[in-house]
Amino acid sequence: MTTLYSSVLRLHAIHDGALEPTQGHHAHAAFLHIVEQVDPILSQRLHDSNARKPFTLSPLRGLPPPRRGEVCLRAGDECWLRVTLAGERMFETFIQRFMQGEVRPTLRLGEAHFAVSAVLTTPGSHAWAGYTTA
């Protein structure tokens, strides 16, 4: 049996800026960077593999609607991103990055930089967070 983990990263924009309306490729790169900081070999394997990936990422949620082809951010704007992981190894690698003692980890999506203010994983901490065995 495989355990599926769904974690929500609560993010706050560090500075004013803009994002493309679709940030999927930026979220993918940011996730691989998180994994790389803990396990560079796993990160490279995930990047290079053409097989199904043991993770999915939601679009950023909670942002203002795009205007003129971009999403305008103001410093302090809050949004969130869901990361779903298949298997204990993926979850342990992911969560270890946030347990390393850095006071305020950051995440870069394109040219936008966000402070990670919370990683919500337990059931009840967020509507999209939790875990189950499949």
Side-chain angles (χ1 to χ4, degrees):
M1 284 197 208
T2 299
T3 302
L4 299 175
Y5 299 88
S6 190
S7 298
V8 172
L9 299 177
R10 187 173 296 146
L11 308 171
H12 290 85
I14 294 173
H15 51 73
D16 293 354
L19 279 171
E20 299 171 24
T22 57
Q23 310 92 20
H25 58 289
H26 294 307
H28 190 100
F31 173 77
L32 290 176
H33 183 67
I34 289 169
V35 172
E36 178 184 43
Q37 292 173 329
V38 175
D39 188 339
I41 294 170
L42 176 59
S43 178
Q44 191 64 48
R45 208 170 336 136
L46 291 169
H47 178 270
D48 293 344
S49 174
N50 289 327
R52 283 187 146 173
K53 310 284 187 207
F55 66 91
T56 63
L57 305 160
S58 75
L60 282 177
R61 301 289 184 182
L63 291 174
R67 292 180 22 198
R68 288 178 273 197
E70 63 184 16
V71 175
C72 294
L73 295 172
R74 295 232 181 248
D77 281 353
E78 183 177 341
C79 58
W80 55 275
L81 173 72
R82 180 176 67 176
V83 177
T84 303
L85 306 163
E88 289 181 16
R89 178 171 183 218
M90 285 299 302
F91 177 73
E92 289 170 1
T93 301
F94 170 77
I95 205 68
Q96 184 177 346
R97 167 63 186 95
F98 300 101
M99 304 296 285
Q100 293 178 345
E102 184 179 346
V103 177
R104 292 274 321 238
T106 60
L107 189 71
R108 187 180 126 220
L109 297 168
E111 298 303 315
H113 294 264
F114 296 90
V116 179
S117 60
V119 180
L120 307 169
T121 298
T122 57
S125 62
H126 189 278
W128 285 23
Y131 47 86
T132 188
T133 302

